Amino acid sequence: MWPDGAEKYRRGLDPTAVTYGSDSVDFNLHCMLDTITRCLECWLLGPLDYGGEYRAAALLFNPIEDPLFSNTGRCHGKGETKRVLHVFEGARRLFKRAKKIEQSKPEDAQRLREEIARSFATLQRPASIYAAKLMNESDNQFLKRADQLCEHYELCLALLREDKGNGRALRVAVRLRAIIEVHSKHEITVGTNGKGLVEGFYANFLVDVYSVLGIDVDYYRYACEAQKWPTDEKMFLECKRLLSANLTSNPVD
């Protein structure tokens, strides 16, 4: 099910579908980016689909850059990412063993390949999708692709270890600030009133975006961090450069 608040942009699409259990990953990713874009356009009152490139939305929802298990609270996903890396490293070792004995002991080689398939069957998405593609690779490409996946998950694990709190939530908050600054003249305001309700354009916008993305965190912490984020920081500047490239429309009030 969608989190509360996201139904108004698109019904029936789970924001975790790209990561867990979608039958058509590419289709669901497209729908997710389109839905995020609808949310952004609702707040900023202007087109943000970048001619179908979905640049702004892809900064907020990217299953490659933010690949796994980091949607809720302080859940970093380090444990699951370690397990995925362990599975791919094990598959690489088993495949090498199978190749060495496939001529002399073909039955044993086949059993090793079946062991790889069983280990892949334990994976969640998107790792299971990568695993399925790996199983369809030729023998010549299997090891090359396995090496790439191991490097990818080693990098993911390193990023998760660096995060304090929910790294994905912070990246989304900072990038939403960049989107607002490129596409509008709104100030980055954060606050609550005497009743504890969210105040400020940016803060309310961020709450809505978190709802659409399915990120369940204390918005105030990350909104404040993003509000104080240095404007000369590399990621922030790169986001604004990407968003501004070939941009011809004027910011909205």
Side-chain angles (χ1 to χ4, degrees), residues 81-99:
T81 305
K82 285 181 183 177
R83 192 180 76 81
V84 171
L85 178 59
H86 177 74
V87 167
F88 282 123
E89 288 175 338
R92 185 169 56 182
R93 288 192 299 270
L94 290 172
F95 184 83
K96 289 179 179 178
R97 287 168 55 191
K99 288 293 292 180

Side-chain angles (χ1 to χ4, degrees), residues 154-172:
E154 285 170 357
L155 175 60
C156 292
L157 188 58
L159 291 172
L160 288 167
R161 284 170 171 161
E162 289 176 5
D163 286 341
K164 296 180 180 179
N166 189 311
R168 183 184 177 201
L170 178 57
R171 284 192 292 274
V172 167

Side-chain angles (χ1 to χ4, degrees), residues 30 39 58 61 74 81 85 111 126 133 152 172 205 207 247:
H30 170 81
C39 174
F61 186 85
R74 292 182 59 80
T81 305
L85 178 59
R111 279 194 288 271
K133 291 181 178 180
H152 171 67
V172 167
F205 195 172
V207 168
L247 182 62

Side-chain angles (χ1 to χ4, degrees), residues 215-227:
I215 298 176
D216 180 16
V217 296
D218 173 12
Y219 87 93
Y220 189 77
R221 167 185 173 177
Y222 298 103
C224 289
E225 287 191 46
Q227 186 184 41

Side-chain angles (χ1 to χ4, degrees), residues 97-108:
R97 287 168 55 191
K99 288 293 292 180
K100 285 183 178 180
I101 63 173
E102 63 182 356
Q103 298 298 325
S104 59
K105 299 179 179 179
E107 292 182 356
D108 289 345

Side-chain angles (χ1 to χ4, degrees), residues 33 54-62 65-66 171-172 175 178-179 239-240 242-243:
L33 295 176
Y54 297 115
R55 288 185 216 167
L59 288 176
L60 303 178
F61 186 85
N62 185 331
E65 185 178 20
D66 294 310
R171 284 192 292 274
V172 167
R175 292 172 181 184
I179 291 168
C239 288
K240 296 188 78 169
L242 176 67
L243 292 164

Side-chain angles (χ1 to χ4, degrees), residues 35-230:
T35 302
I36 296 166
T37 299
R38 294 186 194 189
C39 174
L40 298 176
E41 291 175 343
C42 180
W43 282 89
L44 295 173
L45 305 177
L48 277 102
D49 68 345
Y50 284 85
E53 292 183 10
Y54 297 115
R55 288 185 216 167
L59 288 176
L60 303 178
F61 186 85
N62 185 331
I64 303 302
E65 185 178 20
D66 294 310
L68 297 169
F69 330 114
S70 59
N71 284 334
T72 305
R74 292 182 59 80
C75 178
H76 297 251
K78 289 192 291 290
E80 183 62 20
T81 305
K82 285 181 183 177
R83 192 180 76 81
V84 171
L85 178 59
H86 177 74
V87 167
F88 282 123
E89 288 175 338
R92 185 169 56 182
R93 288 192 299 270
L94 290 172
F95 184 83
K96 289 179 179 178
R97 287 168 55 191
K99 288 293 292 180
K100 285 183 178 180
I101 63 173
E102 63 182 356
Q103 298 298 325
S104 59
K105 299 179 179 179
E107 292 182 356
D108 289 345
Q110 180 59 30
R111 279 194 288 271
L112 290 173
R113 291 175 182 267
E114 291 172 356
E115 187 176 342
I116 293 173
R118 285 193 297 272
S119 70
F120 283 174
T122 68
L123 298 176
Q124 299 183 71
R125 293 175 185 264
S128 63
I129 298 165
Y130 302 148
K133 291 181 178 180
L134 184 57
M135 290 298 290
N136 290 326
E137 295 282 5
S138 67
D139 284 0
N140 289 335
Q141 290 297 314
F142 186 99
L143 283 177
K144 179 180 179 181
R145 182 61 177 148
D147 287 341
Q148 292 172 344
L149 286 168
C150 288
E151 290 175 7
H152 171 67
Y153 282 101
E154 285 170 357
L155 175 60
C156 292
L157 188 58
L159 291 172
L160 288 167
R161 284 170 171 161
E162 289 176 5
D163 286 341
K164 296 180 180 179
N166 189 311
R168 183 184 177 201
L170 178 57
R171 284 192 292 274
V172 167
V174 172
R175 292 172 181 184
L176 181 62
R177 175 185 164 184
I179 291 168
I180 292 171
E181 291 187 357
V182 170
H183 286 282
S184 81
K185 297 177 182 177
H186 288 285
E187 294 183 3
I188 306 302
T189 53
V190 180
T192 57
N193 61 21
K195 297 181 180 179
L197 300 176
V198 182
E199 282 192 338
F201 175 85
Y202 169 70
N204 278 282
F205 195 172
L206 181 62
V207 168
D208 205 13
V209 167
Y210 278 166
S211 179
V212 171
L213 295 177
I215 298 176
D216 180 16
V217 296
D218 173 12
Y219 87 93
Y220 189 77
R221 167 185 173 177
Y222 298 103
C224 289
E225 287 191 46
Q227 186 184 41
K228 299 173 183 176
W229 199 260

